[in-house]
Every structure is written in structure tokens, then in C-alpha cells.
Amino acid sequence: QVQLLQSGAEVRKPGASVKVSCKASGYNFIDYYIHWVRQAPGQGLEWMGWINPNSGATEYAQKFQGRVTMTGDTSISTAYMEVRSMTSDDTATYYCHAVLESTGTPYFYVDVWGKGTTVTVSS
Amino acid sequence: SYELTQPPSVSVSPGQTATITCSGDALSKQFGYWYQRKPGQAPVVVIYKDNERPSGIPDRFSGSSSGTTVTLTISGVQAEDEAEYHCQSADISGTYVTFGGGTRLTVL
């Protein structure tokens, strides 16, 4: 079945970086964008950006431009999201997310999320 | 940045109807999506493209759109529907995604 498998929890000190991985299975990785979304404690969902795994093209929310990099390795169907220069405000659960929708028939719509990666930034 | 506005909380008794709205200028041009999130779990889509319900989502969940507002309606609310509900859409260009602040649904 369609799945996104994320890497495990991380703890970092302020100023450090973290790189979270998201391995896709059950579908053709290059056919659908991967989005990254985070949720800080007590806060709502926050969209960070997307990557087109086929071309490597990316778009980032303005808030994260220059501090976040999204990449993909098509050989292992895995997307990555790196956050640099982290502060305690980056403490959150980070999710990868994909929407698989057909462009023809038969129609299908599959919305899949990873289980989330908890990143804690603390001195 | 583009914003979507939701009420922070809605409370209903079991069996009643819950209505959650989401407003944003681009909603007149872009589809709205609704996600349910329960503690410790990843979000689950309950409505996509304004009013489409994914397979496996109970038919008590429905969505509608009018002008710059999309609405999630849960008819005959059950205790298991208690969760946070987040609307999501894109800016007018369709490039940048945004979420509303989330609405906590409490079943009394």
C-alpha cells in the first residue's frame, strides 16, 4: 500500500541542523510532489514547502526561505528536509505529505502522510 | 503571506450538527481541503476539493464552498469526531500552500 516512512526522533542544540528523511513506497515516487508540514506544540499545522521529485524543483514558504532545503533521491524513493540554524521555535513534529491524484481514468485520490518526526531543540 | 481564518473552537452535543468555516480571499479561485487531526496522529483528509469525500470517510462529513468561504459540516456528530480540524488551500497563484489556524471540535 502507499506509505511514507519517516526517520526517527531527533534532539539538537540551538544553532544546529537536522535532516529528516521520508521514504515513499507503493507508488511511483517521481510522479507526485512531496510537501513538508510541521506542527509545533500547541500550534496549528504549518506548511513549509514542496519538492517535485522528478525535476528537483522546490518552493518554500517565505518564512523558511534560506534556512530550509528540500531534496530527493529518486534511486531510493526518498525525500529529505533539512533545517539549519535551529532555535527552540523549531521544536515540532515534522510531516511529509503527498497527494496522489489521477489525471485520467480510472480516477483515484490518495492523500498520504508520514507518521511524523519529532524534533526537539534544547540546550 | 496568505492567511486562512477559522474559529478556534466549536462545541456541540452528540447527534447535533457541527459547522466549521474557513475564510480566505483565494478560496474563490482555489479549492479548500479539510484535515482531521487527533493527538499523536498524522492528519487525515476528510474533505478535498471543497466537497469531495475520500473513501472510508463517513458520509456525515460534508463540505461546501461559497465565495471566499469553505465550510465543513459534520451531521450527527459522534464522540469519535472530537479532534482538531484544519482547512488548507493555496494562494491565488496555486504555488504556496497555507493552513488555517485549526478549530478544536469538542463533543459535549
Side-chain angles (χ1 to χ4, degrees), chain A residues 35 37 39 43-47 50 59-62 65 95 97 99 101 107-109 111 113-116, chain B residues 1 33 35 37 40-45 48-49 54-55 84 86 88 94-102:
Chain A
H35 295 254
V37 176
Q39 185 160 24
Q43 304 296 312
L45 297 172
E46 183 173 33
W47 178 76
W50 55 252
E59 283 288 352
Y60 303 114
Q62 186 174 14
Q65 289 178 7
Y95 296 97
H97 172 220
V99 175
E101 183 177 14
Y107 180 76
F108 61 84
Y109 186 94
D111 187 294
W113 293 71
K115 291 189 182 302
Chain B
S1 62
Y33 300 76
Y35 291 91
R37 205 187 80 87
Q41 298 182 20
V44 173
V45 65
Y48 67 96
K49 290 188 171 182
S55 60
E84 285 184 355
H86 301 261
Q88 181 227 296
T95 301
Y96 300 98
V97 174
T98 193
F99 287 92

Side-chain angles (χ1 to χ4, degrees), chain B residues 16-34:
Chain B
Q16 290 190 327
T17 296
T19 301
I20 302 173
T21 59
C22 174
S23 299
D25 289 343
L27 286 172
S28 61
K29 303 289 186 186
Q30 299 292 343
F31 286 121
Y33 300 76
W34 289 96

Side-chain angles (χ1 to χ4, degrees), chain A residues 62-103:
Chain A
Q62 186 174 14
K63 174 178 180 178
F64 298 107
Q65 289 178 7
R67 204 166 66 89
V68 168
T69 301
M70 297 175 188
T71 56
D73 185 338
T74 57
S75 68
I76 55 172
S77 300
T78 299
Y80 302 92
M81 191 278 300
E82 180 181 35
V83 184
R84 299 177 294 279
S85 303
M86 291 196 298
T87 71
S88 58
D89 289 344
D90 294 311
T91 294
T93 299
Y94 290 77
Y95 296 97
C96 55
H97 172 220
V99 175
L100 287 55
E101 183 177 14
S102 62
T103 56

